[in-house]
């Protein structure tokens, strides 16, 4: 079954404690993205990756890091989480062929993060 | 940063009524997508529109992309309780690649 998986689904942590949210897709997609979803602000893109070792900033990259060492995995790293990073996070992947892509973007189930 | 304004943000209607959700921007998008999101789940793609003036239909849902590729609308005919959910529009940056901007969303409730 084609899917995007995220772990953990729920996480409560404290300010400053480094954490990683994993994302994996089994569709051999080139493009992957991370979003955060907040009430009144909608979904905002944090980082995206066009292929292995190729990443770029989205609209709200501050406080986040990503890596793309393998095609299937795109972890989101919070080196020093702060309360304003409390949010619902989604990973997504798209096939694409480079440049413009109108292919389906598949979203993971989401990770609800609370930073105390 | 390109912005997508979505309206209305909340909509509560009776089963059988028609409704239209709008997605507007001052920027041109290379493509625009509509998603539906259920509570506790990620968004699921409904349709992608690419060509200015394009109209696509998905059963009772009709999607239209503006001629200038700056706006779009979603029209639902004879809404059903199963249509309840959060509807999101998303535009892809005309500069290419995968930079995507989402609207805030329209929360639709269809009352039986």
């Amino acid at each position: 079954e084609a899917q995007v998986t995220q772990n953990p689904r729920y996480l409560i942590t404290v300010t400053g404690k480094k954490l990683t949210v994993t994302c994996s897709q089994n569709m051999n997609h080139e493009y992957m993205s991370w979003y955060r979803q907040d009430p009144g602000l909608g979904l905002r893109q944090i980082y995206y990756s066009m292929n292995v070792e190729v990443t770029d900033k989205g609209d709200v990259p501050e406080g986040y890091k990503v890596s793309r060492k393998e095609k299937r995995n795109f972890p989101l790293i919070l080196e020093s989480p702060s309360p304003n990073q409390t949010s619902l996070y989604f990973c997504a992947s798209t096939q694409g062929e480079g440049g413009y892509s109108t292919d389906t973007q598949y979203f993971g189930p989401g990770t609800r993060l609370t930073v105390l | 940063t390109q912005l997508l304004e979505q309206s209305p943000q909340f909509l509560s209607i009776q089963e059988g009524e028609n409704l239209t959700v709008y997605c507007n921007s001052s920027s041109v998008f290379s493509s625009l997508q509509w998603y539906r999101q259920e509570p506790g789940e990620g968004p699921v793609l409904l349709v992608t529109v690419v060509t200015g003036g394009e109209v696509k239909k998905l059963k009772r849902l009709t999607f239209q992309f503006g001629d200038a590729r700056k706006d779009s609308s979603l029209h639902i005919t004879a809404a059903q309780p199963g249509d309840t959910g959060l509807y999101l529009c998303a535009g892809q940056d005309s500069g290419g690649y995968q930079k995507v901007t989402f609207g805030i969303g329209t929360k639709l409730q269809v009352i039986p």
Side-chain angles (χ1 to χ4, degrees):
Chain A
E1 179 191 355
Q3 60 181 355
V4 178
T5 57
Q6 294 179 227
N7 283 293
R9 293 289 312 278
Y10 303 90
L11 179 60
I12 300 175
T13 189
V14 296
T15 299
K17 187 176 181 182
K18 181 179 178 181
L19 67 93
T20 299
V21 184
T22 64
C23 173
S24 182
Q25 50 95 1
N26 63 359
M27 297 167 278
N28 200 37
H29 284 171
E30 293 182 352
Y31 294 87
M32 298 184 74
S33 298
W34 274 104
Y35 297 87
R36 60 177 290 174
Q37 187 173 33
D38 302 287
L41 296 175
L43 273 160
R44 293 178 292 168
Q45 195 172 37
I46 302 171
Y47 269 94
Y48 61 96
S49 170
M50 293 169 282
N51 214 324
V52 174
E53 302 292 2
V54 182
T55 63
D56 207 348
K57 296 176 182 179
D59 292 323
V60 288
E62 295 77 21
Y64 304 94
K65 284 175 58 178
V66 292
S67 69
R68 188 91 182 272
K69 294 184 169 57
E70 304 166 282
K71 203 171 189 179
R72 63 181 293 127
N73 296 323
F74 190 40
L76 179 69
I77 303 156
L78 283 72
E79 294 270 4
S80 183
S82 62
N84 65 12
Q85 292 178 297
T86 292
S87 186
L88 180 57
Y89 290 87
F90 289 100
C91 179
S93 76
T94 313
Q95 176 56 38
E97 292 180 356
Y100 304 99
S101 170
T102 57
D103 288 348
T104 300
Q105 185 166 207
Y106 292 89
F107 282 81
T111 294
R112 186 165 291 281
L113 171 66
T114 301
V115 183
L116 302 174
Chain B
T1 301
Q2 294 178 304
L3 295 175
L4 268 174
E5 293 184 356
Q6 208 170 325
S7 62
Q9 288 191 32
F10 301 96
L11 193 53
S12 182
I13 61 171
Q14 294 290 324
E15 181 177 358
E17 292 184 359
N18 301 332
L19 66 111
T20 302
V21 176
Y22 300 93
C23 184
N24 296 297
S25 174
S26 58
S27 305
V28 175
F29 290 101
S30 63
S31 65
L32 195 137
Q33 298 178 320
W34 284 93
Y35 292 81
R36 184 170 152 216
Q37 184 179 15
E38 304 273 5
E41 298 179 11
V44 175
L45 180 69
L46 295 173
V47 77
T48 300
V49 286
V50 179
T51 307
E54 183 176 4
V55 177
K56 281 192 174 179
K57 291 193 176 184
L58 188 67
K59 297 183 181 177
R60 293 177 292 99
L61 279 61
T62 302
F63 305 86
Q64 185 162 7
F65 202 12
D67 291 340
R69 292 187 289 130
K70 293 182 179 181
D71 56 88
S72 181
S73 64
L74 157 61
H75 183 79
I76 301 179
T77 303
Q80 303 294 311
D83 296 328
T84 294
L86 180 67
Y87 289 83
L88 299 160
C89 63
Q92 185 169 14
D93 196 321
S94 57
Y97 300 114
Q98 286 279 293
K99 199 167 191 308
V100 179
T101 301
F102 276 82
I104 285 177
T106 295
K107 197 165 186 178
L108 171 65
Q109 180 185 32
V110 181
I111 303 166

